[in-house]
Amino acid sequence: MFRTALIAAALLVAGPAFAQSEPVGDRVEVNGMQMYYEVSGKGDPLIVLHGAYMNIPSMGAIIPKLAESHKVYALELQGHGRTTDIDRPITYPHLADDVAAFMDAVGIGKADVFGYSMGAAVGLQLAIRHPEKVNKLAAASVAYDAEGWQPEFKAFIPRMTVEMFVGMPFAEDYRKLAANPDGFPALVKKLIALEHEPMAWEADVKALKAPVLIITGDADVTTLEHSIALFRLLGGGVMGDMGKPLPASRLAVLPATSHTAVIGQSDLLHAFIEPFLKGEKPKGMFE
């Protein structure tokens, strides 16, 4: 996930998005908030979900790349970017329900989903809680259980404070887009609370019907063992070339890649995501 301890670097290194045509922004009322979103491209619908403390611009060039072959709906989640906050904790089930309500509000029956970090966990919860709305899910830097975090991150969570984050550079960047420029400390408080929320979704993940592409850095905030365990829950990790079709879910590991470096590798991400969404795969010699 796009964890709170690692945010500043990601916002600094993520480049601006250069679309072939300007995205169209709009707002829609969702569960008591005014949710901001942008639409770009043509094709089948693809919902893009950002990480914690992020917004649409900080997702970088992956959005316009995906818009080359999809109609992309990029959302800004509760209290992030230009979306208003409401008197409600930020939890993964809440955010997933917001995405489902957004889809109803704009007339999307079912869509593919790409989420990064917090947005990837929201995508997982969307597929769990609203399976009829998710075709395929590409989830970058995601966990399904809090035990999957790196030991260093688990040790850091209890030391998180609001003051630790309000002095970081992205705190000032928040004011440039926020519906409430003074709302950053309240957002930080909610996101720190999110880190303490129970997370143990193994049974729900194992029951998923939607194919999932798991993308992780080899130095991500989740351990490699956790990403492999997630892949196995979804039926992956079997031997090919034995006359049986490969599992619908996939695993991609980005080399020499930390958590905050994942989203900046738009060419590599696109090379993984696009064939997955199209159902394309390399052919073996026995096919």
Side-chain angles (χ1 to χ4, degrees):
M1 321 204 117
F2 193 79
R3 309 317 295 182
T4 52
L6 306 169
I7 305 214
L11 295 182
L12 291 172
V13 303
F18 296 100
Q20 292 181 336
S21 59
E22 285 297 316
V24 177
D26 202 353
R27 288 177 173 82
V28 64
E29 184 172 347
V30 171
N31 293 335
M33 73 186 80
Q34 289 295 313
M35 177 175 280
Y36 179 82
Y37 67 101
E38 291 182 355
V39 183
S40 55
K42 296 180 180 180
D44 293 331
L46 171 61
I47 292 174
V48 173
L49 305 172
H50 60 75
Y53 298 94
M54 293 179 73
N55 49 43
I56 293 170
S58 62
M59 285 291 280
I62 188 59
I63 291 176
K65 283 185 178 296
L66 292 170
E68 292 173 4
S69 52
H70 306 272
K71 187 172 184 178
V72 173
Y73 294 80
L75 277 56
E76 292 183 337
L77 299 169
Q78 177 186 344
H80 289 75
R82 287 145 285 197
T83 294
T84 57
D85 201 358
I86 54 175
D87 186 15
R88 184 192 73 176
I90 291 178
T91 69
Y92 298 116
H94 282 162
L95 297 179
D97 290 348
D98 292 341
V99 177
F102 166 82
M103 294 174 70
D104 289 341
V106 300
I108 302 173
K110 194 171 188 178
D112 294 321
V113 179
F114 167 59
Y116 169 56
S117 195
M118 181 184 78
V122 174
L124 268 183
Q125 277 294 312
L126 181 67
I128 290 167
R129 297 170 67 83
H130 305 276
E132 74 285 354
K133 292 186 176 298
V134 179
N135 184 27
K136 293 182 178 181
L137 168 64
S141 299
V142 70
Y144 66 90
D145 193 295
E147 290 304 309
W149 304 131
Q150 295 278 8
E152 296 92 335
F153 183 71
K154 287 193 286 186
F156 180 71
I157 291 174
R159 303 199 303 270
M160 291 180 178
T161 65
V162 173
E163 292 73 23
M164 185 181 294
F165 293 99
V166 295
M168 292 186 178
F170 59 86
E172 185 59 33
D173 292 337
Y174 167 91
R175 299 177 63 89
K176 298 174 183 177
L177 292 181
N180 175 15
D182 298 321
F184 188 71
L187 176 64
V188 175
K189 186 176 181 180
K190 290 182 178 183
L191 291 176
I192 291 176
L194 177 64
E195 302 294 356
H196 294 270
E197 283 286 315
M199 179 189 251
W201 308 339
E202 179 175 336
D204 291 327
V205 169
K206 192 171 183 178
L208 285 178
K209 301 301 182 185
V212 181
L213 166 63
I214 305 152
I215 303 172
T216 187
D218 61 1
D220 216 317
V221 70
T222 55
T223 65
L224 281 172
E225 291 81 1
H226 187 70
S227 296
I228 293 169
L230 173 56
F231 186 42
R232 291 193 182 279
L233 280 178
L234 296 166
V238 300
M239 181 176 177
D241 294 327
M242 299 300 290
K244 296 180 180 179
L246 292 177
S249 293
R250 305 182 184 188
L251 171 66
V253 180
L254 281 63
T257 300
S258 69
H259 181 66
T260 57
V262 169
I263 198 61
Q265 298 188 66
S266 56
D267 288 337
L268 194 52
L269 288 174
H270 188 257
F272 290 139
I273 295 169
E274 193 64 21
F276 168 68
L277 296 182
K278 290 182 177 178
E280 299 172 350
K281 64 180 180 64
K283 283 191 175 181
M285 65 183 298
F286 299 114
E287 294 180 75

